[in-house]
Amino acid sequence: MRITCPHCGARDVQEFNYLGAADPKRPEGMAAPDAQMFEYVYLRDNPRGDHNELWYHAAGCRAWLIVTRNTLTHSISSVRTAKSTRGAAA
């Protein structure tokens, strides 16, 4: 599988580290109930089809990327920096 980094171009997947789903939102502060933190840390969906994932370009520019990948075909439809996505949501 090849991921096209916005900074470095197309690279082999071995240059990247996979973190997991890009969608979960961390509960706010230490006041979050234990059940809410348990759900955030341990319970994950196993989606079929397009899925937003966090990847770290460890052997390249060291950028965090959000990769939209189809979990059935492994085809990648988009790659963007996580920083640009966070700024757009604010």
Side-chain angles (χ1 to χ4, degrees):
M1 188 166 73
R2 295 182 65 77
I3 298 175
T4 302
C5 175
H7 307 290
C8 306
R11 300 286 195 244
D12 189 81
V13 72
Q14 292 178 335
E15 289 192 12
F16 298 86
N17 292 332
Y18 173 76
L19 178 65
D23 301 328
K25 302 291 184 233
R26 182 181 172 93
E28 291 294 326
M30 297 297 291
D34 289 343
Q36 191 177 17
M37 284 304 293
F38 177 86
E39 184 176 327
Y40 169 75
V41 172
Y42 295 108
L43 302 181
R44 298 285 187 224
D45 293 330
N46 188 12
R48 181 178 187 162
D50 286 345
H51 181 58
N52 290 325
E53 303 171 330
L54 278 172
W55 289 80
Y56 178 65
H57 196 177
C61 62
R62 299 179 187 254
W64 282 99
L65 306 173
I66 297 180
V67 176
T68 303
R69 181 180 66 89
N70 187 298
T71 58
L72 297 173
T73 64
H74 296 291
S75 64
I76 295 174
S77 59
S78 73
V79 179
R80 59 197 183 279
T81 61
K83 184 177 180 179
S84 66
T85 304
R86 182 176 54 113

